[in-house]
Amino acid sequence: MTTPATTDTSVRASIADEIRKRRRFVLSSHVRPDGDAIGSALALAFALRQMGKDARVVTRDPPPPAMMVFPGVPDIEVAGRVDDPGDAVIVMECGDLMRTGVDGFERGFVINIDHHLGNSVYGALNWFDGTAAACGEMVFDLIRELRVRLTREMATHIYIAILTDTGSFHHSCVSPRTFDICRQCVEAGVDPPGIARALYDTNS
């Protein structure tokens, strides 16, 4: 039985409860992953590992080359199939499960986290927040729900997710919440100029 996709904080609490009960996780996002896809998955993976969980990040396509300098990015598994979906599969930024491009996820307990309209509500748990400027904002809220300390690695990837999905804060989805999360990321040790240079000034 699936829950409807909703912004209700009770769904976020339910996801946190399921995470606490489970040990092995596979995290993923859409094909040709962008900064929000990679940043959201890795921020949550670092949080799960801090809780003593086993967390793998698997994507169909490799991360953008400019992101390889950031923590955890070189360790992302690039694969078109997963034979062991673990105790739960957490999929972010995907309107339907097929958009991951990875076979095998359908055999697992799927948690669907998304901020895009049109989500097909394919998970055992579905959390949709159309007010979020990036999926990274939702991951930040989930990390707080899990009562995990925000480390520099997590904060770096949340900041990357927000920076890239807002078009460097150009898009209308930017809100006071966006800047408050970024403030907390900077307080956790994020280097905004360094991230901007790595993402935007290293490619021809």
Side-chain angles (χ1 to χ4, degrees):
M1 180 177 178
T2 64
T3 64
T6 177
T7 59
D8 193 336
T9 56
S10 66
V11 176
R12 185 176 70 220
S14 296
I15 291 172
D17 287 342
E18 291 295 336
I19 286 173
R20 292 186 187 101
K21 290 189 294 188
R22 299 165 190 266
R23 188 179 66 84
R24 298 185 305 120
F25 296 85
V26 181
L27 296 87
S28 190
S29 190
H30 53 75
V31 294
R32 297 183 297 280
D34 55 14
D36 194 17
I38 297 296
S40 295
L42 279 173
L44 187 52
F46 277 115
L48 294 174
R49 291 166 190 158
Q50 186 169 303
M51 297 173 68
K53 313 288 188 182
D54 177 58
R56 303 163 56 198
V57 178
V58 180
T59 58
R60 172 62 185 265
D61 299 312
M67 292 197 65
M68 296 302 287
V69 299
F70 296 112
V73 177
D75 300 322
I76 290 174
E77 300 175 40
V78 179
R81 180 176 181 81
V82 166
D83 293 321
D84 180 6
D87 300 323
V89 178
I90 304 177
V91 179
M92 287 162 278
E93 285 260 285
C94 284
D96 59 73
L97 195 57
M98 293 293 292
R99 193 163 182 246
T100 64
V102 180
D103 294 330
F105 287 160
E106 69 282 355
R107 299 198 309 274
F109 180 90
V110 176
I111 298 172
N112 164 27
I113 301 174
D114 193 15
H115 69 121
H116 295 108
L117 294 174
N119 191 283
S120 62
V121 195
Y122 53 84
L125 285 171
N126 302 278
W127 178 25
F128 169 77
D129 185 355
T131 70
C135 196
E137 290 190 3
M138 301 175 70
V139 170
F140 176 87
D141 291 341
L142 180 56
I143 289 171
R144 289 300 193 217
E145 186 78 40
L146 292 166
R147 296 187 175 91
V148 173
R149 180 180 64 86
L150 185 68
T151 64
R152 182 175 182 176
E153 290 81 8
M154 294 175 215
T156 293
H157 284 293
I158 289 168
Y159 186 86
I160 288 169
I162 293 172
L163 178 70
T164 56
D165 227 39
T166 61
S168 300
F169 308 105
H170 281 68
H171 300 163
S172 60
C173 58
V174 173
S175 69
R177 167 191 181 187
T178 304
F179 288 109
D180 187 55
I181 292 172
C182 289
R183 173 187 61 79
Q184 294 182 64
C185 288
V186 172
E187 289 174 348
V190 165
D191 173 21
I195 289 175
R197 283 193 297 268
L199 290 176
Y200 300 121
D201 298 344
T202 58
N203 295 309
S204 61

